[in-house]
Structures are given as C-alpha cells and as structure tokens.
Amino acid sequence: MESIDVAMALTFVVIASTVVLYALERYSIEIIALGSVVSLAAIFTLFPVTTERGPVTTADFLVGFANPALVTIICLLIIGQGLFQTNALEGPAQAIVHWVRGRSHLATIPVLVAVAALSAFLNNTPVVVMFLPILTAVAATMGQSSSRVLMPLSFMAILGGMTTLIGSSTNLLVVNYAAQHSDLRLGFFSFTPIGLLLAGAGSIYVLFFMPRLLKTRKTMADELTGASGKQFIAQIEITYGHPLVDVTSVAGMFPALKDMTVRLVQRGEQPILPPFENVTLSPGDTVIVAATRTALANALSRRQPLMDPENTGQTAENGDQTSTAPGSMTLAEVVVAPASRMMGRTLLQSGFHAETGCVVMGIQRRSRMPRMAMNNIRLEAGDVLLVGGSAEQIARLRGSRDVLLLDWSTAEVPRRRYAPRALAIFAIVVGLSASGLIPIVTAAIAGTFAMVASGCLNVRQAMRAIDSRIFMLVGASLAGAVALESSGGATAIASTLVTLLKGQSPTVILSALYLIVMVLTNFLSNNAAAVLFTPIAINMSDQLGQSAEAFVVCLLLAANSSFATPVGYQTNLIVMGPGHYRFSDFIRAGTPLSLILWVTFSLVAPWYYGF
C-alpha cells in the first residue's frame, strides 16, 4: 500500500476520533486538540507525503496557530473585554430592555432579526462583533445567561449571509469560480429567493426553539455571586459636591438610590429612620444602605461615584490614605475568621485598612441586618466583608490570619469613565472592517493595542480574555484540514460522491450534494469545502444536462450551513468563549438547524428550479 493511502486512512481515523472525543467531553479541548496535532505530525513523518508545494512537514500543521482568522478572533475577544470592563454598553442594553418592557423574553428577537438583515450586506464577522457585547449586556440586564443568546447571534448572522452575493466570502468565492469555469453568471440577488426560504425556516428554529436546547453556561464566579441576592450594609458619606447633595426623598424613597434600600440617614447626632418624608440630603449626612454587591460596584464605577473608598471613616486621623482610583479598584469578599483579632472591634479599631491597604465597602451578617452606621458595627466571626483595593492588595489577603479570602469573588470594578473611548475604539474597528478599507485582522490588532494603550484594559485583563480552548481548537482544526487536503482525503470523498450518485435523478443528486458539503463544511473551512466541490457541482450539472445554477447555489448554501461545530465558521468561535459553550452545545443546537436547512432545500429546490 502506498504511503499516501496509509496517511489518508490514518488521517480519517484521527479526525473521527478527535470529533468523538470533543463530543464526549471526558478530556479538555486543549488536550484533545494537542493530541490530534501530534498524531497528524507523526503520521506524515512516518508516511511522507509530497504535494505540488513540496513535502508535507510538521511546520505545515503548526501554521494554523498563526492563522490570521485565529489572530482576529483573539483580538476581537480582547476588544469585547474592553467594552465589558468599562460597562460601555449598559446604556444601549437598558434602552432595549425598556423598549420591550412587559415582554422582556422577546427583547433579543428584534436584535437578532436586525443581525440577519445586516449580515446580508456586511461581512458576518464585524456584525457579530458589533452585537455580541450588546446582546451580552441585554442578557445581563434581563438576568439571563449570555449562553441563551450568543449562539443564536452567530447562527442568525450565518443565515442572513447566505441570502446575497456579498453576504459571506464563501458566496463570492463560489460565484467567481463558477464564472471563470462556466457560462454561469450570478448577480447580487440571483439566489436571494431560495436563500430567504432557507433562512426563514432556520430563523424560526433559532428564535423560538433553539434557546430551549441551550444549557445555562456560567463561570463559577457567576454562579456563586449571581444566584445570591445577599445584601451588604454600606454607607455613603455626603460631602460637598457629592452627586446626592440636595436630593429629596419621594414617597419615602430616594430615586437616585433605586438599587439600594436606605436604612438610615445619620445627620450629626440625629438618626433619621424610614419612612423618609421630604428628607433632603446635605453635606455631612451619612446614608446607611443595604445593597447587593452589583449595586455597590455600580455605585463605585459611576463617572461621579456615589461612594469614595478614601472617605469611609476607616482611616485614623494620622493614618496614611491609600489612593485607589475607582478605575483600578478590585472588589472581593472575605470572611472574618474564628479567633480573628477583628472580633468585637469596629472597622477603625481593627486597623484593617492600615494593615492591608484595603477598604471595607460593605458588611454582610447572616443572622441579622443591623440598623446602624457601618463603622459602628462590631465585627463577629462569620461576617462577610466586601473589600476594595488594588489587585496586589487583594492578593495579599490570602496570607491574612484574620480574614479568609473567597478567591472566586475577586473582580475588578468596571472602568466606566473610560466607556466613551472604549466605544470609540470599538466603532472604529467595526467601521474599518465593514468598509473593507483595511483587512479585519489589521483593524482587530490595532483595536487591541488601542484598548490597552488608552487605559480601557490593562495587560492582565487583556490576557485573561484569551480563551485557550479557542486557540487550540482552531489550530488543530486547520491542521486537520491540511492533512485532509494533502493526503487526498478531501478529493477522495468528492470522487466517491460522484461515483455513488451516478445514474440518480437530479433531485436526489442535489439533496445528496447538499448533505455531503454540509457535513464537510463543519470540519473543513467553508471556503475549503466550496473550492473543493465547485468544479464537481459544475461537472454534475453538465453530465445531467441541467442548469448549472441549481448545483452551484446548492453548493453555496450547503457550504454556509456550518452550525454543528464551533470550528465550522469564524463567528461560532467568536461566541464560544463569551457564551461559555462546549463542543457538545454546538452539536446539540446546531445539528437540528443544519438538518432543517437540508430538508427545506431538498423540498424547495426541485420546485424552484423546475426539476
């Protein structure tokens, strides 16, 4: 048996095994992906294969890890992290939720329909990049997991992209190849009617049925902090120039503190208790509130913060102030340990700030909610303190004997004062990418640099946005594509298809062609599948004496049906990290969509093309 045949057979085994292991999820994606690359490199070393470009070497299997598409995805994830870190899209998200008030479960449908419409005329990638943070913010505002909306975002962009000539790069590639090798000339809207039929059928599934198949995916920190609505006692010192000066209560509540419960207003020696009737806040007042961690973080991150970490009354008169600007503050939760020196003392008496540099922003006591100033509460074992400081100060709390740091609770306060510049960077990246003035990879790299250089992100936050699963998944998948093409495996599949379908009716051949290309496009790139099968589709039409348009459009639509795996299309990879998806999530939710499109095409195409 020739070396190339052995390499082809073993390549099929490796790719099939890799997909099965991805689906089983018994091992991490990184380990499986690395194992597949090692296996392919070993196969082509033991059984050398030479192509028109020369011998296939290990370097050919590593090229995917420097692929421009992969670099683009990573940079876009970092840019999205910059928008998240600055809460730049909270306003638009709240506006969308307010617009659909009373029917919040429908909030995402108009956005997803708009995504599909835009994707028909713009490159899918910048459209998904544009709407990903918006939908994430909408989901957060609605109290939903982003996993419910981000995969539908990618799928709706793909569905919209299959309706016009410029909807995706695959469409252009197929149409241009067909024009060069046949008399077929497809215009801008030549396949729009049949594309709309498929997109319409797919959209019904994506919008109304697919969210039920998607599991709620959250990080551990999300699950532990988001599921609990626990309240902290905190205090707001009203100073001259404070945003709450001259704010008057309305119907016993303070509108500016709608996310907090005001428990007491301390005015000198006079405590003012609820209900608050016509109480106007003035400099010197101390407002004692009960609020969730999210509400306190929002109060800290406002452009005019409601809470000042340096004015909490926790520093002695001769103590050193630790300057912790809201834009660089990290919040974490600590528990007062048994036998802690802080027990029975107030915060000022405990010396916590002087010793650690951290400021206590709130106190949570499970047994009862004290109605007194936070700084007058004597601490007990088991009290949970919400503390703020720099990342280094928080990290040093791990060595404290007085408090126990809850590592999962550590999170940085959003840098809202940088929101305008983050939005500007994001808009420029999307605008340049959509216009085609510069390559999207160039715009993404420049946007990443701008996010860090402008202060919207620090290097640590940017590195944290890089998803190792996506990096390994893309690199390994491109290595598999190289192996399939170099060993002749992809060509063998195409040739087998032609042989098996010989003598069948045009309807059966169209349906089978769609199915085969649809399966392959989820493991090869859609462009690779399109290039491989375009000449085959044209030859099939010639042999059958049928119009080449039906076969070319069949190939074009099938190559866009990349829903069943995250590696099928670039937008799937973009949403994989932010949505916390697993490989099996795409199989579970994407496979039915692919089958729906296949069945729809098989039923509609013969009628549409008059077979």
Side-chain angles (χ1 to χ4, degrees):
M1 183 178 293
E2 294 184 4
S3 176
I4 190 169
D5 295 329
V6 176
M8 182 195 304
L10 292 177
T11 295
F12 283 134
V13 171
V14 170
I15 292 177
S17 302
T18 300
V19 173
V20 170
L21 289 173
Y22 280 149
L24 293 177
E25 296 183 343
R26 291 187 178 179
Y27 308 98
S28 69
I29 283 179
E30 294 90 336
I31 291 296
I32 299 171
L34 183 60
S36 69
V37 174
V38 171
S39 300
L40 292 172
I43 290 170
F44 281 76
T45 299
L46 295 174
F47 304 97
V49 173
T50 301
T51 66
E52 295 177 355
R53 297 184 298 272
V56 180
T57 65
T58 301
D60 294 315
F61 298 112
L62 300 179
V63 169
F65 292 99
N67 187 278
L70 177 56
V71 175
T72 301
I73 292 168
I74 290 174
C75 290
L76 292 177
L77 289 175
I78 295 174
I79 292 172
Q81 181 72 6
L83 292 172
F84 170 78
Q85 200 65 37
T86 58
N87 260 4
L89 293 169
E90 182 184 27
Q94 290 180 342
I96 292 173
V97 173
H98 179 76
W99 178 49
V100 294
R101 179 172 291 177
R103 34 185 215 286
S104 59
H105 61 288
L106 302 176
T108 58
I109 292 180
V111 180
L112 291 173
V113 172
V115 166
L118 285 174
S119 294
F121 304 97
L122 297 175
N123 185 282
N124 295 344
T125 301
V127 172
V128 170
V129 172
M130 183 190 310
F131 282 91
L132 187 149
I134 294 176
L135 277 176
T136 301
V138 169
T141 304
M142 294 166 54
Q144 291 185 357
S145 169
S146 58
S147 63
R148 298 282 186 179
V149 297
L150 295 189
M151 194 183 296
L153 167 64
S154 176
F155 288 1
M156 288 297 287
I158 297 173
L159 289 172
M162 64 170 56
T163 59
T164 67
L165 178 63
I166 64 170
S168 76
S169 59
T170 306
N171 300 354
L172 285 169
L173 191 64
V174 171
V175 170
N176 289 337
Y177 187 95
Q180 293 171 4
H181 295 82
S182 71
D183 297 330
L184 180 64
R185 302 291 185 271
L186 294 178
F188 194 93
F189 295 109
S190 293
F191 50 90
T192 297
I194 191 169
L196 285 175
L197 290 174
L198 267 67
S203 296
I204 293 173
Y205 166 78
V206 171
L207 295 176
F208 301 104
F209 297 98
M210 195 177 84
R212 302 179 185 179
L213 299 178
L214 294 172
K215 295 182 178 180
T216 299
R217 299 289 187 194
K218 292 185 176 181
T219 61
M220 183 178 293
D222 289 335
E223 292 172 352
L224 294 173
T225 60
S228 172
K230 61 185 179 183
Q231 303 271 316
F232 289 89
I233 288 292
Q235 65 185 44
I236 301 174
E237 305 284 350
I238 309 298
T239 58
Y240 288 99
H242 193 280
L244 295 181
V245 170
D246 294 332
V247 170
T248 302
S249 60
V250 177
M253 302 176 65
F254 293 93
L257 298 172
K258 60 181 180 180
D259 295 332
M260 304 178 181
T261 301
V262 180
R263 299 181 57 82
L264 170 71
V265 175
Q266 187 73 35
R267 180 165 292 168
E269 299 297 324
Q270 176 192 4
I272 303 174
L273 300 173
F276 304 103
E277 297 295 338
N278 299 319
V279 175
T280 300
L281 300 178
S282 58
D285 290 347
T286 299
V287 182
I288 310 302
V289 299
T292 64
R293 172 176 172 160
T294 300
L296 294 176
N298 289 339
L300 283 166
S301 64
R302 289 175 51 161
R303 295 178 189 176
Q304 290 185 305
L306 297 181
M307 303 174 69
D308 183 359
E310 297 184 2
N311 189 26
T312 60
Q314 295 174 36
T315 307
E317 293 182 0
N318 60 348
D320 294 331
Q321 292 281 2
T322 301
S323 178
T324 306
S328 61
M329 173 176 281
T330 297
L331 290 181
E333 296 177 27
V334 299
V335 179
V336 177
S340 169
R341 292 173 297 175
M342 300 172 66
M343 290 174 54
R345 299 180 178 182
T346 65
L347 290 173
L348 182 58
Q349 292 170 345
S350 70
F352 180 79
H353 174 74
E355 182 178 342
T356 65
C358 298
V359 177
V360 178
M361 309 306 303
I363 300 176
Q364 190 256 333
R365 181 166 290 171
R366 299 182 186 278
S367 59
R368 60 192 181 281
M369 187 72 74
R371 194 185 295 275
M372 65 177 69
M374 184 181 73
N375 290 333
N376 293 333
I377 298 175
R378 294 189 177 274
L379 300 174
E380 300 176 359
D383 285 349
V384 179
L385 310 181
L386 181 65
V387 300
S390 67
E392 293 75 16
Q393 290 167 340
I394 296 295
R396 285 199 293 267
L397 292 177
R398 294 188 181 93
S400 174
R401 297 182 179 179
D402 296 314
V403 295
L404 305 174
L405 175 65
L406 305 178
D407 278 296
W408 54 260
S409 68
T410 303
E412 295 185 61
V413 175
R415 302 181 175 193
R416 291 192 183 181
R417 59 179 176 165
Y418 296 117
R421 66 184 70 172
L423 280 173
I425 293 169
F426 176 64
I428 292 172
V429 169
V430 172
L432 291 175
S433 301
S435 67
L437 293 176
I438 63 174
I440 187 172
V441 62
T442 305
I445 293 173
T448 299
F449 171 76
M451 280 288 183
V452 176
S454 65
C456 299
L457 284 174
N458 56 41
V459 175
R460 184 182 65 256
Q461 292 165 339
M463 294 301 295
R464 199 165 57 221
I466 299 175
D467 193 327
S468 61
R469 298 178 308 158
I470 292 177
F471 181 78
M472 293 302 302
L473 198 59
V474 173
S477 298
L478 293 175
V482 169
L484 266 182
E485 294 178 16
S486 301
S487 66
T491 304
I493 293 173
S495 301
T496 303
L497 173 64
V498 173
T499 303
L500 292 176
L501 295 178
K502 190 173 183 179
Q504 298 294 328
S505 67
T507 299
V508 173
I509 292 177
L510 270 182
S511 179
L513 176 64
Y514 191 108
L515 179 62
I516 295 297
V517 176
M518 180 186 75
V519 171
L520 287 179
T521 195
N522 283 283
F523 302 99
L524 295 169
S525 71
N526 48 1
N527 286 344
V531 169
L532 179 66
F533 277 90
T534 299
I536 294 174
I538 294 174
N539 288 335
M540 282 182 170
S541 66
D542 291 339
Q543 293 175 11
L544 294 171
Q546 299 289 340
S547 167
E549 180 177 350
F551 289 83
V552 171
V553 171
C554 170
L555 168 65
L556 182 150
L557 296 175
N560 278 294
S561 301
S562 43
F563 305 104
T565 67
V567 298
Y569 198 69
Q570 184 166 302
T571 57
N572 291 351
L573 289 165
I574 290 174
V575 303
M576 185 178 181
H580 307 296
Y581 295 119
R582 299 176 182 172
F583 197 94
S584 60
D585 292 326
F586 284 88
I587 296 176
R588 182 187 305 108
T591 301
L593 176 57
S594 297
L595 294 175
I596 288 171
L597 297 185
W598 171 54
V599 171
T600 302
F601 179 83
S602 299
L603 295 176
V604 169
W607 162 78
Y608 185 81
Y609 289 107
F611 287 169

